[in-house]
Amino acid sequence: MLQLTHPYAALLEQLYDFVYREREIAAARLREAWQRPLPDKLKKGLAQQFGRLEPGPGVRTAWAYLAGGPSRFREGDQLCLHIGSPLPVPLACRVRFEAEEETRWLLCFDNVERVIAQCGDGCVYAEQDAIDLTSMFEKAFNDIVHSASARRIILPLLEGELPLRCNPQQHACAFNLAREQGLNLLQAEAVAKAISAEHVACIQGPPGTGKTQVLALAARLLAERGERVLMTSHTHTAINHALGKIADLGVPTVKVGNPNQARGLAAPAMQVEQFCLWRERPLAAGYVVGATPFATCTQRLEDCEFDTILFDEASQITVPLALMAMRCGRRFVFIGDQRQLPPVVLAKSILSGPPSIFTRLTTGNQDSVMLRETYRMNRWLAAWPSRTFYDGALEAAGPNAQRTLALTGEPAQSFAATLLHAGASAIFVPTLDHRARSRNMEDARLVVELCSAARAGGLALDQIGVVTPFRAQGRAIRQALARRFGWQEARRVVADTVERMQGQEREMVILSLATGDLAYLAAVAEFFFQPERLNVSVTRAMTKLIIIGPELPPGFGAADAQLARNIAHYRDLLASCVRCPAPAR
């Protein structure tokens, strides 16, 4: 129970209320979705039909064979199974969508044998499910309420009351070492801050500026001085990517968690289900453990304490989620970018201040470091995001700065080939279907033509990325690619939503915005024109960006001042591109 005499009682009360409100809204939305007629859900891709289930290759797994039309689901989603309605109780809950093949999905869930025996040869349906993680937040908050360290460091830090100090000798030593490793001045300063900060360091890493390189070197230096380091983030993908870079530097590194969530974890990083099973861990030296904050509330990291907590993609981590991990450490390093995607929250009005821990800590913090040289985008692609989101401070650097898309082959003459050979790095093509909403088959076909022409010109498919705001469009594009190239070859093209593309880069990126219906666009304008979403979308490309989307008439606007500014950003983005209208069909 919360102590009313606690010096930070008001803040703690907000945190409890925020978590409870999030649970209430999520549960209400899920109930509303489950109550909709099944034919309507199938038509809109909110449910997936399977013709049969059969045992999968591992324990608790099943193959589900696709029947009916496509859905919006993708690998990693959590589903429930039923035979007509998930109400009052689904056939199976907490079903993880593990892998997708051309005709079947691999699912993982409890009671697999019972479910297969009950309806393995009949129709089964999958819908979105949710896990109630409130008990984990309650455990974390209760620990914080009774923690002397939280009263002295964590809570004052959140309230802006903690002096930000660093050790000058450690700073100088780390800075010089980072420079010797080839890091630029601001990257070296970021490493030095991470090593020398007494309690907290914040590092802003705009797209392509080498934040993972900074994170990996900081982790190595911390481990070399004997520290136990927790590397955490809001997704397993981010953790696995960072751990791979850290392990490459010779640091003893392990991922703690379910083996199914270790996809993308590269050797020599190891994986165990619980920390106590890591037999190779150094007993008298430093090491790095990778895990989500939730693992700190389970037996996976039971009774583990850390010297430093490293947060990657910190702009997407909520304050409550950050606190879950922070209670296990003494020092905190946050690496993120508040100009990229924020956390997904439902109860925005309850927690005062920004919901993102990174935005909260960097607002007004003159001690944070911003990396300014992008090694990803060429100078033409870097210009618009630099001007729009980073006050002109982001600059293209390195070998890629002056490079443009260079095709080694000659694709057949076509509109797609014309776009690829156009000298401009950024091109805008008005959408081909002005009635489309969240799925646009005409635009999907153009995406396929572009990918086909690029491959004919010598660009490997795994160097092409397709970004879209809508899951329905992402699935439509993936299916169209599979029809053209075959299932396995098509999977080399990453075609997904903005959320799945953050942190990735490709030689060429196609931004398929799908929407042509202006009335629908007005209804989803807050989501569609979100500036952080635009920023992530256009900064995945290295040398070529092709935007296929709506062209706004002069009268399209908004009464809300912030939304009007966001729409102006979109207009400015299109104005920065070379416009190439498609030929009449």
Side-chain angles (χ1 to χ4, degrees), residues 136-137 140-141 143-144 154 230-234 291-297 301 304-311 317-332 334:
M136 292 190 177
F137 285 108
F141 295 163
D143 288 347
I144 287 171
I154 298 175
L230 174 64
M231 169 64 244
T232 191
S233 189
H234 68 302
T292 64
F294 295 113
T296 67
C297 294
L301 288 178
C304 287
E305 294 183 354
F306 299 93
D307 300 295
T308 297
I309 315 288
L310 294 178
F311 292 88
I317 299 175
T318 63
V319 173
L321 187 59
L323 286 176
M324 191 179 289
M326 291 171 73
R327 79 190 206 285
C328 300
R330 300 183 298 106
R331 298 176 65 256
F332 317 106
F334 297 92

Side-chain angles (χ1 to χ4, degrees), residues 179-199:
R179 290 291 286 162
E180 292 172 3
Q181 296 292 311
L183 273 64
N184 66 39
L185 288 172
L186 285 172
Q187 289 173 336
E189 176 64 18
V191 171
K193 291 275 190 184
I195 298 302
S196 64
E198 181 180 6
H199 295 302

Side-chain angles (χ1 to χ4, degrees), residues 380-404:
W380 297 279
L381 293 178
W384 184 79
S386 177
R387 181 180 73 249
T388 306
F389 300 113
Y390 302 104
D391 297 323
L394 185 64
E395 297 181 356
N400 204 52
Q402 303 296 328
R403 205 165 59 83
T404 57

Side-chain angles (χ1 to χ4, degrees), residues 205-209 337 339-341 374-378 381-386 388-390 394 400 467 498 501-509 511 531-545 547 573:
T209 53
D337 182 12
R339 302 303 306 189
Q340 296 189 56
L341 291 175
T374 177
Y375 299 91
R376 174 187 301 162
M377 297 171 281
N378 65 23
L381 293 178
W384 184 79
S386 177
T388 306
F389 300 113
Y390 302 104
L394 185 64
N400 204 52
V467 187
V498 180
M501 284 294 288
Q502 179 154 322
Q504 300 194 51
E505 64 184 25
R506 294 292 185 274
E507 186 75 10
M508 180 176 79
V509 167
L511 176 54
E532 296 89 351
R533 187 175 299 277
L534 271 184
N535 187 27
V536 174
S537 298
V538 303
T539 55
R540 305 304 96 198
M542 300 171 67
T543 61
K544 193 79 169 185
L545 172 68
I547 302 174
L573 170 62

Side-chain angles (χ1 to χ4, degrees), residues 280-299:
E280 298 83 358
R281 73 178 183 273
L283 299 180
Y287 53 78
V288 176
V289 174
T292 64
F294 295 113
T296 67
C297 294
T298 70
Q299 291 183 346

